[in-house]
Amino acid sequence: MIWSKPFRRSKYVYLKKWLNSSDSIDQSNAIASWGLGRKTLELLKIAKENNKPLLLLEDGFIRSLYTWAAKVDPELNAGVSFCIDTKAMYYDGTTSTDLEDLLNTEIVSETQCQQARKNIDTIVKNRISKYNNQPLSSEHLTRGEHQKRILVVDQSYGDMSLICGGVTDSVFERMISDAVKENPNAEILFKIHPDTLARNTESGFQKLIPEQVRIIDWPINPITMLEAVDEVYVATSQLGFEALMCGKKVHVYGLPFYAGWGLTDDKVPCTRRKRKLSIEELFYIVYLKYVHYFDPVHNQEGSIEDAIEYILQCRKKLLGQ
C-alpha cells in the first residue's frame, strides 16, 4: 500500500496498523487515497501508469470517541472503522459505488437480518454514533407546550458529501423553509455539527436559520437528540441514517447512501437504486458487509461488536458515561 500524505497524521493510527505500507510502488499491491481532493487525481494518474488499483478510503460510521477536529490524545480521535471503495466514495451520489452495487444486489438472509436488528438495538440502547464524547443527557431539551418537534441537521460547510450529494446553499435554504412551513405548530430545532462545535466556529448555514428556529449549539449525543424529536430533515448527514435506526421519519434533500431504498422521503430521485430494502437489510449491507473495523485492544481487524465495546469502554473510563 502506498499512502498519500494525510495517512501520516495521527488520526489514521489504527488504519496504518491494519494495512501494511510501502514507499515503493513496485512493491505495493495498491495505492490508497483518503477522501476526495486534488491529491486524488494525482494518485489516480500514478495508479493507472503503474497498473495498480486505487482504493478510496473514508471513515466508517462508528468512528471514535472524539471528532477528528478535537485537540485530544491521538488515541481518542483515531478512527476504528473504515470504508474502502474501488469506484467512488460511498457518499458520492453522482455515480455508482461499490456500496451502491451491494445495496442493489446483496441478498440478506433472515439470520443476517436478525443480527442486524440486534446490532441496531445495541447501538440505539447505548447511544453509539460516529463520535461518542457528547453528553448523553437531554435535560436541556424539555418540550414545553409543543406537541411535535422537528430536527433540521447541520453539516460542515463545503463538506464533500454535500458537494457529491448535490447540496448547495439553496437546497439547505429550501430544507429549512420546508421544515418550518410543513410543521407550523411544531418546535423546529437546528443541530450544529460537532466538527463546527469542536472548532468553536459558526455553522456556514446559520445565516439561513429563521428566528423561530431553536439552534442547538451545545454538545449532545446524536441518539439522545434523535429520541427527543419526531421527524428529521437532512441533506446527506449520517444522522439521517441513525434517525431511521431510531424509527423516525426522515426527509432527505441530497443523495446520501441511505436514500432511494424506500425508507426515506426523498426529494432527489436516483434511478440507479432499483429496489426497496428494510432497515435491517440496509444496516447489514452498510455496517456489516461494507465497513471494516479495527480492534485496538488486540491490534487486529475486528468486528462491529469490538468497535462498540471499545467505544463504550473509552466513554466509561474517560467520561464516566
Side-chain angles (χ1 to χ4, degrees):
M1 189 72 67
I2 292 288
W3 298 108
S4 58
K5 187 176 180 180
F7 284 108
R8 298 182 177 91
R9 295 203 294 260
S10 61
K11 68 176 181 176
Y12 307 109
V13 59
Y14 296 140
L15 183 56
K16 289 191 291 185
K17 288 179 180 178
W18 179 49
L19 295 173
N20 293 324
S21 63
S22 171
D23 292 325
S24 168
I25 292 177
D26 291 338
Q27 296 176 6
S28 299
N29 301 108
I31 296 174
S33 175
W34 186 275
L36 290 178
R38 287 173 294 181
K39 187 70 175 179
T40 309
L41 292 177
E42 180 183 334
L43 291 171
L44 178 60
K45 181 180 178 181
I46 294 172
K48 286 187 174 182
E49 289 174 349
N50 291 274
N51 195 28
K52 306 283 185 180
L54 177 66
L55 304 182
L56 301 171
L57 286 80
E58 189 52 273
D59 286 320
F61 308 111
I62 299 174
R63 185 191 184 280
S64 53
L65 196 64
Y66 286 88
T67 167
W68 65 270
K71 295 180 180 180
V72 296
D73 186 306
E75 297 289 323
L76 301 181
N77 67 355
V80 296
S81 65
F82 311 95
C83 303
I84 302 177
D85 209 292
T86 64
K87 289 187 173 182
M89 291 299 179
Y90 73 85
Y91 51 73
D92 192 344
T94 67
T95 187
S96 175
T97 65
D98 290 342
L99 176 57
E100 187 176 270
D101 290 347
L102 282 172
L103 290 168
N104 267 324
T105 61
E106 184 75 12
I107 303 301
V108 183
S109 69
E110 180 60 33
T111 299
Q112 290 168 333
C113 280
Q114 291 173 3
Q115 180 184 358
R117 172 44 58 187
K118 181 179 180 181
N119 288 141
I120 291 171
D121 291 344
T122 298
I123 287 170
V124 173
K125 178 182 177 182
N126 291 283
R127 296 183 169 93
I128 299 294
S129 185
K130 185 173 185 178
Y131 308 128
N132 297 277
N133 67 299
Q134 307 96 329
L136 303 181
S137 171
S138 60
E139 59 182 339
H140 298 299
L141 288 176
T142 53
R143 280 186 184 262
E145 62 184 17
H146 297 283
Q147 298 299 312
K148 188 177 183 181
R149 179 179 277 161
I150 304 299
L151 175 64
V152 181
V153 182
D154 181 31
Q155 289 184 242
S156 294
Y157 197 76
D159 187 81
M160 287 304 297
S161 74
L162 293 175
I163 296 171
C164 293
V167 180
T168 61
D169 284 12
S170 63
V171 173
F172 242 91
E173 188 171 13
R174 177 191 166 204
M175 178 175 72
I176 296 166
S177 176
D178 286 353
V180 173
K181 291 179 181 178
E182 293 170 2
N183 304 279
N185 299 315
E187 181 182 25
I188 312 297
L189 308 178
F190 183 80
K191 173 69 177 71
I192 301 296
H193 194 276
D195 288 349
T196 303
L197 293 178
R199 297 190 193 101
N200 197 28
T201 58
E202 186 176 275
S203 168
F205 299 107
Q206 213 156 323
K207 62 183 182 295
L208 305 174
I209 307 301
E211 289 185 3
Q212 68 267 40
V213 175
R214 182 183 179 189
I215 296 177
I216 308 300
D217 57 359
W218 63 85
I220 183 172
N221 177 272
I223 305 298
T224 300
M225 180 89 247
L226 289 169
E227 290 177 339
V229 304
D230 300 291
E231 297 182 24
V232 177
Y233 285 69
V234 66
T236 61
S237 171
Q238 177 183 324
L239 206 63
F241 186 79
E242 292 171 342
L244 291 175
M245 291 163 58
C246 292
K248 307 298 179 178
K249 183 174 182 179
V250 182
H251 309 267
V252 184
Y253 285 73
L255 197 56
F257 68 90
Y258 55 84
W261 308 106
L263 293 170
T264 49
D265 171 26
D266 300 320
K267 310 303 179 181
V268 180
C270 183
T271 56
R272 295 191 313 272
R273 301 178 183 182
K274 301 181 182 301
R275 64 175 182 167
K276 292 185 177 182
L277 299 171
S278 67
I279 182 61
E280 289 83 7
E281 289 173 319
L282 185 57
F283 180 92
Y284 184 88
I285 294 168
V286 175
Y287 277 65
L288 297 174
K289 183 77 176 180
Y290 182 71
V291 175
H292 300 268
Y293 298 91
F294 184 83
D295 178 2
V297 176
H298 299 99
N299 196 32
Q300 62 186 19
E301 186 170 7
S303 65
I304 187 173
E305 291 83 6
D306 295 326
I308 291 172
E309 182 60 29
Y310 178 72
I311 294 296
L312 288 175
Q313 288 178 2
C314 287
R315 193 161 70 183
K316 183 176 181 180
K317 179 180 178 180
L318 297 171
L319 304 176
Q321 298 186 130

